[in-house]
Amino acid sequence: MGAVTSGPEPAADYLRTGDVFERPFLLGAATAAYQIEGAADEDGRGRSIWDTYSHTPGLVAGGDTGDVAADHYHRLGEDLDLMNGLGLDAYRFSISWPRIQPGGTGPANRRGLDFYSRLVDGLLERGITPVATLYHWDLPQELEDAGGWPLRDTAYRFAEYAGLVADALGDRVPMWTTINEPWAAAYLGYGSGVMAPGRTDGAAALAAVHHLNLGHGLAAATLRERSAPGTSVSVTLNMHAARDGGDGGPEAVERVDALANGAFLGPMLRGAYPERLLTDTQDVTDWSFLRDGDLDLIHQPLDSLGVNFYSTVTVRMWDGTGEKTSADGHKPSTATPWVGSESVEFLPQPGPFTAMGWNIAPEALEQVLVGLGNAFPDLPLIVTENGAAFDDRRTPAGGVHDTGRIDYLHRHLVACARARERGVDLRGYFVWSLLDNFEWAHGYEKRFGVVHVDYDTQRRTVKDSGHWYAQLARTRRIG
Ligand code: FCB
C-alpha cells in the first residue's frame, strides 16, 4: 500500500518541550508474559515453544531462559504498586496461553485464570486500565508439535482459547489485543528461526502468516461476542518503515512493505492480501492454504490498531555482486525472514543506535503514524510499544541514570505529538517496557525497562527514565 514507508522528513526538533497529552490519551507501559512472569512450572502451567527454544543450548544468549524472569508471578502486588507509583493510566500485559490451556486444548486451568483475574482486579483497584494481549508468542508446545501456526487448526484452537479468556475476564478487561506482532511470530519463528519455534522454512512462514491472520479474525469475533458490550478489540502490528537505499530502492521498499506490513494490514483492514505479496512469494508457495471465506473471517471490525515501533530499515535490490548486507536489525541466520525477497539488501543504518544496534529515528514513527492515519482515517491508533535498550548500570548510590533512554522516549513522544498535530487520531502510548526482562534470543543482556531489575535479588529500582515518565503521566506535559 506504500502508506507506511518513509523517505527523509524535513528536519524537526524532536527534543522540544511543552507537548501535552491530556486524558483520555493513555500513557502506559507494556510487558509480555514469558518475558517477566517466571514461575514456569507453577499452578498447572504447560510448556510453550519459548520454554523449548530457550532450553535448547545455543539459541539464547547466555543460555538464559524465562524460568524465573523478573519473577512477576510471585511479585504481583509489588509490581502493581510500582505501576501505581509511576502514575500509569494503563498497563499492557499478555496472557500466557499455556497457563490457561496447558496442552493448548481443553478446559481452562482455573489457577492460570486466577492469576490474571488478580492482576486485572489489582489494576482496576488502582485506577489503571488493563490492556490484555492474548498472544505474545508463547504457543503451547503441543500445538507446535501438531504443526504450529503453519497448520490451519491452530487458528481455531486460538479462537477457543480466546473464548475461555473472554468468559473469565471479559467483564473487566476493557481493551483486548488479539496478537502481538504476527510478523515476528511468522517470519522470525518459521522463516529465519531466530525466535521460537526456530524453524527455517519460507513456505511454512507464509502459511503461518495466513493462519495468524485467521486466528486474529476468529479471536476478534469471539472477544466481541463474549466480552462486555463496548469492549475494545485490537491487534498490534510492528510497522516496518523502509527507506530507499539506492539502486532498486523503490522496488525493495515496496517488497518489504508488502511482506511486512501489507501481509497483515491488507487482510485485517481491507479484506485482501496485496497483489504484490502474492506475486513476490509465488516461487515459495501457491497460497493454497487461503480458502474461500477466509478473508471475510479475518476482516473484522477493529476499534483501534496497535503500532509497535523501534527503528527503520534501509533497502535496495542486491545486484548479485559482492557480499549482500542483511542489516535488518534481527539476529543473523542461515535462512531469511524476507521470504521470496531474498534479493532485497538491508543496508547498515545511519546512527545513533541503541544497545540493540537499532537506529534511533523518531521522524519515522511520525511518518508511520501519519501514513496509517491517511490510509485508515477512521481507525484510532495506539503506540503499543516503543522504547530502547541501553547498557544501564546501577550506581553505588542506587540510581540508574539512563539519560539515553529519556532522550529516546522524549523524541518519540514528540513524534507522537507531531503526528497528532497532523491530524492522526492517536489515543495512547505504551513504553516498552515497564521492567527489564527476558529479551527473547538476547536473554537478559538487553535491558528495556524504565524500572531496573537486579536478577540476583529481584529488587526493582525505578530508573531516571521511569521518574521522567512518571512526571509526564502526572503533568501530562513533556517537561
Ligand atoms: C518487540 C516485542 C517485545 C520486545 C520488543 C523489544 O518486537 O513485541 O516483546 O521484545 O520488541
Side-chain angles (χ1 to χ4, degrees):
M1 54 176 238
V4 296
T5 56
S6 56
E9 276 272 297
D13 174 15
Y14 288 91
L15 281 178
R16 71 188 191 186
T17 53
D19 289 305
V20 174
F21 296 93
E22 289 294 0
R23 292 196 178 91
F25 190 94
L26 295 175
L27 287 167
T31 63
Y34 190 69
Q35 295 181 275
I36 63 163
E37 285 178 0
D41 290 322
E42 270 170 69
D43 292 340
R45 177 185 180 277
R47 289 178 71 79
S48 84
I49 54 175
W50 268 100
D51 294 290
T52 308
Y53 192 88
S54 64
H55 280 270
T56 307
L59 296 184
V60 174
D64 292 344
T65 74
D67 289 0
V68 177
D71 200 31
H72 169 71
Y73 195 82
H74 297 124
R75 289 165 201 270
L76 184 57
E78 180 188 348
D79 288 344
L80 284 164
D81 288 342
L82 194 59
M83 295 178 218
N84 204 25
L86 293 175
L88 301 183
D89 301 325
Y91 174 56
R92 173 177 180 256
F93 59 96
S94 83
I95 294 171
S96 157
W97 188 349
R99 283 198 198 283
I100 309 303
Q101 289 179 298
T105 55
N109 168 29
R110 179 51 51 195
R111 287 174 296 166
L113 284 175
D114 283 349
F115 172 72
Y116 296 105
S117 194
R118 282 188 279 127
L119 168 58
V120 168
D121 288 343
L123 289 168
L124 293 173
E125 278 159 23
R126 290 165 180 80
I128 303 171
T129 301
V131 179
T133 298
L134 285 176
Y135 187 71
H136 201 125
W137 308 348
D138 42 2
L139 184 70
Q141 183 60 43
E142 278 81 346
L143 294 185
E144 174 57 27
D145 295 342
W149 284 109
L151 187 76
R152 186 177 177 86
D153 190 55
T154 303
Y156 287 88
R157 301 286 74 76
F158 180 61
E160 261 170 34
Y161 154 66
L164 296 175
V165 177
D167 290 347
L169 305 176
D171 56 336
R172 284 161 292 156
V173 171
M175 295 178 76
W176 292 102
T177 298
T178 53
I179 296 177
N180 176 73
E181 297 192 8
W183 181 88
Y187 296 115
L188 300 180
Y190 295 92
S192 65
V194 299
M195 286 199 164
R199 285 164 63 181
T200 51
D201 174 346
L206 291 168
V209 165
H210 182 60
H211 298 134
L212 283 154
N213 281 328
L214 183 60
H216 155 77
L218 296 169
T222 305
L223 288 170
R224 187 80 69 200
E225 234 173 75
R226 288 158 71 168
S227 303
T231 299
S232 154
V233 177
S234 181
V235 63
T236 280
L237 304 179
N238 53 320
M239 285 295 119
H240 279 73
R243 289 169 162 165
D244 176 344
D247 293 345
E251 152 92 4
V253 165
E254 277 181 32
R255 280 177 169 268
V256 166
D257 189 50
L259 194 60
N261 302 325
F264 305 100
L265 292 173
M268 289 178 182
L269 299 177
R270 299 190 194 280
Y273 282 103
E275 267 312 309
R276 140 129 255 169
L277 173 69
L278 306 180
T279 46
D280 286 349
T281 56
Q282 67 192 4
D283 292 341
V284 183
T285 176
D286 60 6
W287 287 78
S288 55
F289 43 74
L290 169 54
R291 301 210 189 143
D292 282 353
D294 281 3
L295 289 164
D296 290 337
L297 294 173
I298 297 169
H299 187 201
Q300 295 293 324
L302 294 180
D303 299 293
S304 65
L305 174 67
V307 176
N308 289 357
F309 179 87
Y310 291 92
S311 62
T312 64
V313 289
T314 298
V315 293
R316 69 179 180 202
M317 298 307 288
W318 186 48
D319 65 5
T321 63
E323 205 186 319
K324 192 176 88 179
T325 55
S326 306
D328 64 0
H330 303 291
K331 273 198 140 179
S333 161
T334 50
T336 180
W338 301 101
V339 181
S341 282
E342 289 77 5
S343 49
V344 172
E345 183 166 34
F346 289 78
L347 301 175
Q349 296 288 299
F353 302 102
T354 69
M356 294 293 281
W358 295 347
N359 64 311
I360 301 173
E363 70 286 357
L365 172 58
E366 182 182 336
Q367 284 172 303
V368 163
L369 295 173
V370 170
L372 286 169
N374 289 338
F376 308 104
D378 299 329
L379 187 64
L381 304 177
I382 296 180
V383 173
T384 39
E385 283 181 29
N386 175 244
F390 287 104
D391 295 327
D392 303 320
R393 300 266 171 272
R394 211 173 43 196
T395 64
V400 180
H401 305 310
D402 55 337
T403 47
R405 184 172 293 102
I406 294 175
D407 184 89
Y408 182 100
L409 299 180
H410 188 157
R411 290 174 194 273
H412 287 80
L413 278 152
V414 170
C416 291
R418 287 173 51 89
R420 295 178 86 201
E421 272 166 26
R422 292 170 67 182
V424 175
D425 184 6
L426 180 68
R427 304 277 178 97
Y429 173 95
F430 289 73
V431 62
W432 183 272
S433 178
L434 175 67
L435 300 169
D436 288 340
N437 60 51
F438 176 78
E439 179 45 38
W440 309 114
H442 298 279
Y444 296 100
E445 233 171 48
K446 303 295 179 206
R447 293 180 176 270
F448 274 91
V450 294
V451 176
H452 180 273
V453 175
D454 177 333
Y455 294 112
D456 294 330
T457 61
Q458 292 296 344
R459 198 171 123 203
R460 276 81 165 125
T461 305
V462 178
K463 301 180 191 177
D464 286 357
S465 61
H467 293 298
W468 182 87
Y469 198 64
Q471 180 174 316
L472 172 68
R474 195 174 59 249
T475 62
R476 316 307 295 184
R477 187 174 178 280
I478 302 183

